[in-house]
Amino acid sequence: MIIFSSPSSLQSKPLFSYNVPSYCPTLKHSFFSRKQISCCHPSKPSCSLEQNSEQNDSKVLSEEKTLRRMMLVMFVTSSSFPTLYSYGKTKTKNPYDERRLLEQNKRIQRENNAPDDFPSFIREGFEVKVVASDNYIKRDSGLIYRDFEVGKGDCPKDGQQIIFQYIGYNESGRRIDSTYLQGAPAKIRMGTKALVPGFEEGIRDMKPGGKRRIIIPPELGPPVGPSTFFSAKQFEVFDVELLSIKDCQRRTIGFYSDVVCD
């Protein structure tokens, strides 16, 4: 079993970042200093060490009252807004949670009648792990695929037309599209940017007669919009069968021009 980790396309950032003092002495000395200096002015002969000591004691008591008041305010503030400090915490991952999410995903896939050896997905927030068998290969681009049949002949080139059948699935193993249900295979010219980037990359090195399962990460997926059934945060899985490849040439008749594929 292979686990492919996918970086998050979106990362949450803390709204607030601050440090809470952990013990009283640090807070105490950072605001006030208990050391006081008193001087007697020559014009006031009544000034004495005892008076200076009394004044110092009264100042210290006043500062301690102020300090306690500030600490009370900080305590009330922190207890009134407990969620602010949670932004600075890092969630500890529990292996049990991953197993639970994996089993949950597999259970949903069984309910959706997902095909054999279908990859599983562990989603925790914006981080997704793809769990697949050793038969799958991951490319540097993030694309993951598995060949069921290799096929024979040459791979398609830009300008050529490919004819293929496919079935599209989401992470839950539910079918989202299929040319078999439409009753006719798809026909697309390579190099015209008519295909999803991950789909075109996955089918470009296939041969006629080949059958492949392609796992497309979000960064290689389709554009996001209200008219699409794809999600930018979801992996898409396609079972593709390449039927044939045809050469194409441009034909011009008068003011009319089109491309004809043999």
Side-chain angles (χ1 to χ4, degrees):
M1 179 178 67
I2 303 177
I3 299 178
F4 303 101
S5 297
S6 175
S8 108
S9 56
L10 298 175
Q11 296 181 351
S12 60
K13 297 182 180 179
L15 298 180
F16 301 94
S17 177
Y18 58 92
N19 295 322
V20 178
S22 58
Y23 56 94
C24 253
T26 303
L27 179 64
K28 190 173 185 179
H29 290 291
S30 58
F31 280 100
F32 303 102
S33 176
R34 295 182 61 87
K35 183 178 180 181
Q36 302 291 333
I37 300 176
S38 301
C39 299
C40 293
H41 199 275
S43 62
K44 296 182 179 180
S46 61
C47 179
S48 63
L49 294 177
E50 289 79 3
Q51 292 176 345
N52 291 337
S53 176
E54 292 177 357
Q55 293 177 358
N56 291 339
D57 292 340
S58 63
K59 289 182 180 180
V60 170
L61 291 175
S62 176
E63 291 172 356
E64 290 181 349
K65 290 181 180 179
T66 305
L67 176 61
R68 287 195 293 269
R69 188 179 300 111
M70 295 182 65
M71 292 178 61
L72 179 61
V73 172
M74 292 182 62
F75 175 77
V76 173
T77 304
S78 60
S79 61
S80 301
F81 303 96
T83 56
L84 297 180
Y85 185 61
S86 63
Y87 283 103
K89 295 182 179 179
T90 301
K91 182 180 178 182
T92 303
K93 294 183 179 180
N94 190 349
Y96 174 76
D97 292 338
E98 289 192 357
R99 291 194 298 268
R100 178 179 57 82
L101 293 174
L102 178 61
E103 292 300 326
Q104 181 180 2
N105 182 250
K106 288 183 177 180
R107 176 179 57 81
I108 296 175
Q109 289 180 359
R110 288 192 297 268
E111 294 176 356
N112 291 328
N113 295 322
D116 296 336
D117 199 23
F118 196 82
S120 298
F121 301 88
I122 303 175
R123 178 175 293 277
E124 292 182 288
F126 296 106
E127 182 179 354
V128 183
K129 291 183 179 180
V130 182
V131 181
S133 64
D134 298 336
N135 297 321
Y136 286 85
I137 300 174
K138 182 178 181 180
R139 294 180 177 174
D140 295 337
S141 63
L143 184 76
I144 305 173
Y145 70 96
R146 176 193 172 182
D147 283 324
F148 294 96
E149 295 183 16
V150 177
K152 298 179 180 179
D154 297 328
C155 299
K157 301 177 181 178
D158 289 344
Q160 290 183 323
Q161 184 186 65
I162 56 174
I163 302 175
F164 59 95
Q165 301 274 17
Y166 72 88
I167 303 176
Y169 305 88
N170 59 13
E171 293 180 2
S172 300
R174 183 174 62 87
R175 295 186 181 185
I176 55 179
D177 194 14
S178 174
T179 55
Y180 295 101
L181 297 179
Q182 297 173 6
K187 298 179 180 180
I188 296 293
R189 289 181 61 208
M190 296 293 291
T192 59
K193 297 183 179 180
L195 292 172
V196 173
F199 196 100
E200 183 169 350
E201 179 184 346
I203 203 173
R204 182 173 288 276
D205 59 345
M206 290 183 65
K207 299 178 181 180
K211 296 181 180 180
R212 172 178 292 184
R213 176 168 295 158
I214 304 172
I215 305 174
I216 302 177
E219 56 270 20
L220 297 178
V224 182
S227 61
T228 63
F229 48 77
F230 296 98
S231 172
K233 302 176 184 178
Q234 291 269 333
F235 281 73
E236 308 297 339
V237 183
F238 289 91
D239 286 344
V240 184
E241 180 182 2
L242 182 59
L243 301 179
S244 61
I245 302 173
K246 293 185 178 181
D247 293 325
C248 301
Q249 59 182 359
R250 180 166 294 278
R251 179 183 60 180
T252 303
I253 302 176
F255 296 99
Y256 177 77
S257 178
D258 62 353
V259 176
V260 179
C261 300
D262 298 333

